[in-house]
Amino acid sequence: MKVKVIPVLEDNYMYLVIEELTREAVAVDVAVPKRLLEIVGREGVSLTAVLTTHHHWDHARGNPELARLRPGLAVLGADERIFSLTRRLAHGEELRVSARPREGGVGAPGPPALTGPPAPPPQFGAIHVRCLLTPGHTSGHMSYFLWEDDCPDPPALFSGDALLVAGCGSCLEGSAQQMYQSLAELGTLPPETKVFCGHEHTLSNLEFAQKVEPCNVHGLWSLQKRDEDDVPTVPSTLGEERLYNPFLRVAEEPVRKFTGKAVPADVLEALCKERARFEQAGEPRQPQARALLALQWGLLSAAPNK
């Protein structure tokens, strides 16, 4: 399983997940379809489906154009408000990225995946997809947990706006209790799980995390550079998130003390309010200052000599 991290818009991420044996791929949260298709062509893969975490335009706006350009493409999600949705997924449902036989011999084009309504359950191959309903940011937010059988590589979580690196999305359509339960469920996944979230908010999230727990030293980790041009701070791992993400640490004494609350859902609600105030009060950092802060925190490393 190969994951291409694709920065788009102001601070969004969309993803292309490639099954390297069959060269089939699924996309996650398509905001800029032409950019996605450029990478699909460059990678030489067959795009079979789109997984959409939620209906917000910056995660789903590319679906209609992509569906027009690729007739028969499956567009999957949990919310009927998702653009061009072909099938609604349920919590706990499992899909697979399949190595289906192709007519006409190896390398010949096969039939489009999941053609026509009513769409059958996707059969994806070596890559398993577990659908996890994670309401809070929106009522129909779905996160996707992907893993491979008999593979030493860690699994992957595509968490949209439910869980961000060192933070979480705003609670817009759900209660604090719902968001707490959603994050608690994601927190039970294996610690080695790689977290691929929907936005690049890591530096400001870390600033807030340090305000909540100034003595927590676990916010220092190295950035994984995806290619020569981009240096996104994704993926982190769930094990790392449990060490420094205050929204996953609502039972910890320093976090409870910061909020003045004891019940986990109340702690989370207070954190969300404090996070909103923190964003409103903070002045945007100049690019040079943000880069310096990133170097200090070990998120970026000096460019290698060429």
Side-chain angles (χ1 to χ4, degrees):
M1 181 170 64
K2 175 181 179 181
V3 179
K4 292 292 293 183
V5 180
I6 310 171
V8 290
L9 305 179
E10 182 178 355
D11 58 23
N12 277 75
Y13 286 123
M14 60 183 184
Y15 300 98
L16 184 66
V17 184
I18 300 170
E19 209 293 311
E20 295 193 272
L21 293 178
T22 64
R23 306 305 295 167
E24 293 184 344
V26 295
V28 181
D29 282 357
V30 178
V32 184
K34 289 183 179 178
R35 170 71 171 144
L36 174 72
L37 291 178
E38 287 174 3
I39 296 174
V40 166
R42 190 166 69 226
E43 292 289 327
V45 297
S46 173
L47 183 65
T48 62
V50 173
L51 301 174
T52 304
T53 60
H54 60 295
H55 75 282
H56 288 164
W57 72 274
D58 55 333
H59 295 260
R61 72 172 204 167
N63 291 351
E65 183 178 357
L66 192 60
R68 179 181 63 82
L69 294 172
R70 295 294 175 94
L73 185 71
V75 179
L76 310 174
D79 195 323
E80 292 179 348
R81 295 173 292 179
I82 292 172
F83 302 135
S84 302
L85 188 72
T86 61
R87 192 167 76 83
R88 189 173 179 181
L89 299 172
H91 175 65
E93 187 171 352
E94 292 196 1
L95 319 172
R96 291 205 332 176
V97 183
S98 87
R100 62 183 184 276
R102 296 187 181 275
E103 298 177 358
V106 176
L114 313 178
T115 57
Q123 293 298 317
F124 287 127
I127 301 176
H128 298 258
V129 183
R130 182 179 300 152
C131 305
L132 301 173
L133 191 63
T134 46
H137 182 64
T138 66
S139 58
H141 193 290
M142 185 73 85
S143 299
Y144 301 98
F145 178 65
L146 279 67
W147 76 97
E148 297 175 275
D149 288 334
D150 303 319
C151 179
D153 294 336
L157 173 67
F158 295 89
S159 57
D161 288 359
L163 175 66
L164 304 177
V165 178
C168 71
S170 302
C171 189
L172 299 179
E173 294 183 357
S175 65
Q177 180 65 33
Q178 284 179 310
M179 178 168 277
Y180 165 69
Q181 291 173 338
S182 296
L183 291 174
E185 178 164 13
L186 295 182
T188 64
L189 295 173
E192 67 273 17
T193 301
K194 292 183 178 180
V195 179
F196 296 92
C197 61
H199 290 275
E200 180 56 64
H201 292 168
T202 302
L203 292 180
S204 61
N205 286 346
L206 277 171
E207 289 177 327
F208 179 69
Q210 287 200 332
K211 178 181 179 181
V212 175
E213 293 186 276
C215 295
N216 189 333
V217 299
H218 295 294
L220 305 176
W221 79 94
S222 296
L223 178 73
Q224 289 193 352
K225 186 176 180 180
R226 301 302 298 183
D227 56 40
E228 273 193 27
D229 299 321
D230 299 315
V231 284
T233 61
V234 295
S236 66
T237 69
L238 270 177
E240 292 169 338
E241 293 299 316
R242 292 172 190 164
L243 292 175
Y244 54 69
N245 188 329
F247 297 91
L248 290 182
R249 295 173 55 80
V250 293
E252 300 296 326
E253 180 58 30
V255 181
R256 292 192 298 171
K257 183 177 180 180
F258 175 81
T259 62
K261 306 292 183 180
V263 178
D266 294 341
V267 175
L268 183 66
E269 184 175 23
L271 279 176
C272 289
K273 291 178 180 178
E274 287 297 325
R275 181 69 170 89
R277 294 191 191 101
F278 180 82
E279 288 180 345
Q280 293 170 359
E283 296 182 3
R285 291 183 178 273
Q286 297 300 316
Q288 297 89 342
R290 293 184 70 85
L292 179 59
L293 180 62
L295 284 169
Q296 290 173 343
W297 282 352
L299 294 178
L300 300 175
S301 57
N305 294 326
K306 294 187 178 180

